[in-house]
Amino acid sequence: MVSLNITGHGYSINLAISGCCGSSQRKISEKVVLCLGSKDHHHNIHITGEEEGEEKKVIGRKMESTLKALRDGESVLDLSPRSTVSGGVEDIYGEDRATEDQLVTPWTFSVASGYSLLRDPQYNKGLAFTEKERDAHYLRGLLPPTVSSQQLQEKKLMNSIRHYQVPLQKYMAMMDLQERNERLFYKLLIDNVEELLPVVYTPTVGEACQKYGSIFRRPQGLYISLKEKGKILEVLKNWPERSIQVIVVTDGERILGLGDLGCQGMGIPVGKLALYTALGGVRPSACLPVTIDVGTNNEQLLNDEFYIGLRQKRATGQQYYELLHEFMTAVKQNYGEKVLVQFEDFANHNAFELLAKYGTTHLVFNDDIQGTASVVLAGVVAALKLIGGTLAEHTFLFLGAGEAGTGIAELIALEMSKQTKVPIEESRKKIWLVDSKGLIVSSRKNSLQHFKKPWAHEHEPVNSLLEAVKVIKPTVLIGSSGVGRTFTKEVVEAMASNNDKPLILALSNPTSQSECTAEEAYQWSEGRAIFASGSPFDPVEYKGKVYASGQANNAYIFPGFGLGLVISGAIRVHDDMLLAASEALAKQVSEENYKNGLIYPPFSSIRKISANIAANVAAKAYELGLATHLPRPQNLVKYAESCMYTPVYRNYR
């Protein structure tokens, strides 16, 4: 039960809302008093909340990944009682559900007006404030006399950004815009997504992270370092927004293919959350970027006078995991059961450990392991229409056996097992991995890290990728090594000699770390390759024909995936949800796309794509009994679209 009582000068309003949710019976009662003052009126808002529900038991045979073994057999469907803090997040004032014609109030801690309104990026409209708004909010004289439209502002800014020749300058211009006018920033990004996506995210964000100390102006998220150990809950409460739905967190140890960038990895959570809003429609105010700073082993950064992080070697072992556990506990205590925590760019040894540890107690998602896997599986499934056959009829060879490589391999094996009804152990035999020491085979099993062991098959040792291509004869070659130019001419030619239409996916980011370029793939395969990459490449002309390559970008998946979790009120992430996301993305590839050799749809329709992915993920959450938003909406696609944030300016009272 939630009751809202508003009393003011000569009036009183009472509003009551009731509901129940939760995986176990629990009650929460809290009282919050917010005072809004002005010269003439004094308002008190009293909010009390109470939630209760009954435990549900889910029975059924569901597929699980190898993470289950790391959890001692515990499943995400078990809804572990080890962490039972409850809570929820709602758009209390209904501003994001209002139509464009409805009036909204620019709430901060007080009603924003005058100079403070112009400095508040959430409500600032610049020259777009109307004459009436300028009078009502004391803006007269603080703005030039002209009144502009949002469309004209967008045109002016895009013209300005296009004049920059250096990508980092474009990135800084976009970040400056985000800091002063949030809605205009997202309007630009949504309307020009194909042009600006490489600016606010990969590949430009990689350079931004490398130079983050030099270009740092204003903090864009929370920095939690070893100095805050024992006080993380207090730090979370310092963040001005209370209703957080999505957190993207990194420790900066493995930023893209660039290595340990320490505290300067903050550019990744900031960029990811910008895409959560622009592509997935999650409210900006519900997003929180976090960097966990435990030091860095990057000597260049430690000796850089402009470095903004802790100047010490990276903490490991118990000290590291205690800090992360305090963070995860504080997040749930402060924001509730349904806040999504996305792990981003953690090193392999920590990434799997964290995902396995918190997968049964928190709503967690690792984009490097699970997001990459989902987007690649979608591309492979879509490519079957071009290369023929079923998933189980193809042989896969990976270069790279880290988070991304093993994550992709596992999801492909899960889908293969689902289609053929054979044990996943059998499906894994169609998938081979090459790491820095050669082909992963059973004779190496004792020296392998735990996440590589399921891929150690019976075979003679093979030392190089080229030799592996020749003896394994894969139909699909996938690169996730983080090392550029490893798909050499000989490797691509060997793939082309074994296959009429070899499927080659060079996934490593940024562009400089891609295993091969689009031009190399098409030229060396004589125009027969089906090619996609992690970072974008320009169209290639070969023998009079123009080839447009696809981009296997995680941005296809994680915004819609996150939206699906939010709208369903999901409390755990299950592998079947990842398969549902892949299935939804593959279905968005049109016949026209296939004719052009594309295995991914254009980013220009990404909001529609995200809505369909969100609906599929939400449907799976309801099917698994992991959704708490009840009753289930009848049309999940329309419901997802109705929940998406739109950056059009609102009119103020």
Side-chain angles (χ1 to χ4, degrees):
M1 177 77 174
V2 177
S3 64
L4 175 63
N5 303 305
I6 304 177
T7 59
H9 187 68
Y11 64 86
S12 175
I13 300 173
N14 298 301
L15 175 65
I17 305 169
S18 63
C20 62
C21 64
S23 59
S24 62
Q25 187 167 339
R26 51 177 81 111
K27 294 185 178 182
I28 296 177
S29 183
E30 183 176 30
K31 185 173 182 179
V32 178
V33 178
L34 170 64
C35 296
L36 305 177
S38 68
K39 290 188 294 184
D40 302 315
H41 303 291
H42 189 76
H43 310 288
N44 292 319
I45 300 178
H46 301 278
I47 303 174
T48 63
E50 183 175 292
E51 295 179 48
E52 56 183 8
E54 295 183 354
E55 184 175 358
K56 295 180 179 179
K57 188 174 181 182
V58 181
I59 301 175
R61 176 185 173 274
K62 303 294 178 186
M63 292 185 296
E64 288 278 10
S65 70
T66 51
L67 291 173
K68 187 172 180 180
L70 299 178
R71 297 172 180 142
D72 296 324
E74 191 173 27
S75 167
V76 297
L77 296 177
D78 293 336
L79 302 185
S80 171
R82 284 183 285 126
S83 188
T84 56
V85 179
S86 182
V89 286
E90 293 182 5
D91 175 22
I92 295 172
Y93 299 109
E95 295 180 8
D96 293 297
R97 292 194 296 269
T99 66
E100 294 172 18
D101 297 327
Q102 287 178 288
L103 296 176
V104 298
T105 302
W107 290 93
T108 55
F109 290 105
S110 61
V111 177
S113 63
Y115 194 77
S116 64
L117 180 55
L118 295 178
R119 293 298 181 270
D120 188 335
Q122 190 172 353
Y123 296 110
N124 178 33
K125 298 196 289 186
L127 292 177
F129 282 107
T130 64
E131 299 286 356
K132 184 178 178 181
E133 288 170 336
R134 295 181 189 207
D135 286 329
H137 292 282
Y138 309 101
L139 297 173
R140 285 292 174 191
L142 300 181
L143 291 168
T146 189
V147 176
S148 179
S149 66
Q150 191 177 24
Q151 289 72 25
L152 187 60
Q153 287 179 314
E154 182 180 355
K155 181 179 179 181
K156 175 185 174 182
L157 279 165
M158 283 306 300
N159 185 56
S160 176
I161 288 170
R162 286 168 181 152
H163 273 88
Y164 289 118
Q165 299 300 313
V166 180
L168 187 60
Q169 291 177 325
K170 295 183 178 183
Y171 174 88
M172 293 175 67
M174 287 296 290
M175 292 303 103
D176 285 344
L177 176 60
Q178 187 180 23
E179 286 299 315
R180 70 176 186 269
N181 189 331
E182 190 175 82
R183 285 188 179 272
L184 188 55
F185 168 82
Y186 287 111
K187 188 76 164 63
L188 251 69
L189 188 50
I190 291 170
D191 291 349
N192 305 275
V193 63
E194 291 181 303
E195 182 177 351
L196 293 178
L197 185 62
V199 173
V200 300
Y201 199 58
T202 181
T204 310
V205 74
E207 183 184 359
C209 288
Q210 288 176 308
K211 300 175 181 177
Y212 210 77
S214 299
I215 65 174
F216 178 81
R217 296 182 182 180
R218 291 180 59 185
Q220 294 176 291
L222 278 180
Y223 294 84
I224 298 175
S225 72
L226 291 168
K227 292 180 179 180
E228 282 71 58
K229 193 165 187 278
K231 300 180 288 187
I232 293 180
L233 183 59
E234 296 174 34
V235 173
L236 292 179
K237 290 180 178 178
N238 288 342
W239 188 250
E241 301 292 345
R242 295 290 176 261
S243 298
I244 299 299
Q245 294 174 322
V246 182
I247 294 173
V248 176
V249 58
T250 185
D251 70 352
E253 190 170 2
R254 193 200 62 82
I255 298 297
L256 301 175
L258 303 172
D260 188 350
L261 296 184
C263 187
Q264 296 188 170
M266 177 59 92
I268 298 296
V270 170
K272 287 278 185 180
L273 287 169
L275 300 186
Y276 260 109
T277 297
L279 312 187
V282 179
R283 289 181 291 119
S285 61
C287 298
L288 174 58
V290 177
T291 291
I292 305 288
D293 187 0
V294 295
T296 178
N297 294 331
N298 188 325
E299 290 293 338
Q300 185 178 349
L301 289 179
L302 291 174
N303 296 323
D304 184 352
E305 63 177 324
F306 298 125
Y307 180 57
I308 59 176
L310 288 179
R311 293 180 184 275
Q312 66 173 61
K313 290 291 185 181
R314 186 172 284 276
T316 58
Q318 184 177 353
Q319 186 181 19
Y320 176 86
Y321 284 108
E322 282 179 355
L323 187 72
L324 264 293
H325 186 69
E326 183 186 348
F327 168 72
M328 294 300 293
T329 303
V331 160
K332 199 165 188 180
Q333 185 174 345
N334 201 45
Y335 300 123
E337 184 93 13
K338 294 178 283 187
V339 61
L340 170 63
V341 179
Q342 178 172 313
F343 296 122
E344 194 67 37
D345 287 350
F346 283 77
N348 291 340
H349 54 280
N350 291 324
F352 286 99
E353 184 72 27
L354 293 172
L355 190 59
K357 181 176 182 179
Y358 295 107
T360 58
T361 61
H362 291 67
L363 183 66
V364 294
F365 171 69
N366 187 304
D367 191 42
D368 304 301
I369 298 172
Q370 298 167 300
T372 302
S374 189
V375 76
V376 173
L377 175 60
V380 170
V381 170
L384 295 179
K385 286 197 174 183
L386 297 174
I387 62 179
T390 65
L391 203 61
E393 290 171 348
H394 288 274
T395 303
F396 298 81
L397 180 63
F398 285 76
L399 177 62
E403 297 172 56
T406 55
I408 298 165
E410 184 70 7
L411 202 64
I412 290 174
L414 278 170
E415 180 64 17
M416 205 181 290
S417 177
K418 180 182 175 183
Q419 291 180 5
T420 59
K421 309 291 192 234
V422 302
I424 191 170
E425 291 77 13
E426 286 298 312
S427 298
R428 289 186 185 129
K429 293 178 181 178
K430 300 286 291 183
I431 303 170
W432 299 81
L433 278 68
V434 173
D435 64 7
S436 59
K437 296 180 181 177
L439 191 67
I440 295 178
V441 292
S442 55
S443 59
R444 294 177 52 195
K445 205 161 190 175
N446 290 337
S447 63
L448 292 174
Q449 293 165 287
H450 63 83
F451 54 85
K452 294 182 182 181
K453 289 183 179 181
W455 311 103
H457 307 317
E458 289 292 336
H459 198 281
E460 292 297 317
V462 176
N463 296 323
S464 70
L465 175 64
L466 178 58
E467 190 181 349
V469 170
K470 289 179 178 178
V471 298
I472 300 298
K473 291 182 170 47
T475 53
V476 181
L477 179 63
I478 300 174
S480 60
S481 62
V483 182
R485 305 300 180 267
T486 42
F487 288 176
T488 62
K489 182 179 181 182
E490 293 76 17
V491 168
V492 175
E493 286 177 343
M495 283 292 296
S497 67
N498 293 332
N499 305 282
D500 182 44
K501 291 183 177 181
L503 178 57
I504 299 175
L505 306 177
L507 304 177
S508 294
N509 291 313
T511 311
S512 59
Q513 305 303 116
S514 183
E515 284 77 11
C516 70
T517 66
E519 184 177 12
E520 290 167 345
Y522 292 124
Q523 285 187 353
W524 295 339
S525 67
E526 299 178 337
R528 291 187 283 117
I530 306 299
F531 178 78
S533 56
S535 289
F537 284 102
D538 292 330
V540 175
E541 185 175 346
Y542 177 73
K543 291 187 177 180
K545 184 178 178 181
V546 177
Y547 295 83
S549 61
Q551 186 184 358
N553 194 318
N554 291 19
Y556 276 116
I557 289 290
F558 72 81
F561 188 83
L563 179 64
L565 297 176
V566 169
I567 65 173
S568 64
I571 54 175
R572 299 290 182 270
V573 171
H574 191 275
D575 290 335
D576 284 0
M577 297 177 185
L578 300 171
L579 297 178
S582 298
E583 178 186 309
L585 177 57
K587 286 180 178 178
Q588 297 302 308
V589 185
S590 67
E591 289 300 324
E592 185 179 350
N593 298 146
Y594 285 127
K595 287 178 183 176
N596 293 325
L598 295 173
I599 56 175
Y600 291 101
F603 261 109
S604 56
S605 57
I606 187 62
R607 301 265 286 192
K608 176 192 168 190
I609 295 167
S610 292
N612 280 274
I613 290 173
N616 236 32
V617 170
K620 186 58 67 174
Y622 283 107
E623 180 186 324
L624 295 170
L626 295 173
T628 62
H629 182 272
L630 300 172
R632 168 182 166 157
Q634 287 189 340
N635 189 321
L636 284 169
V637 175
K638 286 186 177 179
Y639 181 67
E641 290 173 341
S642 73
C643 291
M644 295 175 89
Y645 167 87
T646 55
V648 177
Y649 286 150
R650 303 302 176 86
N651 296 319
Y652 300 151
R653 293 182 178 91

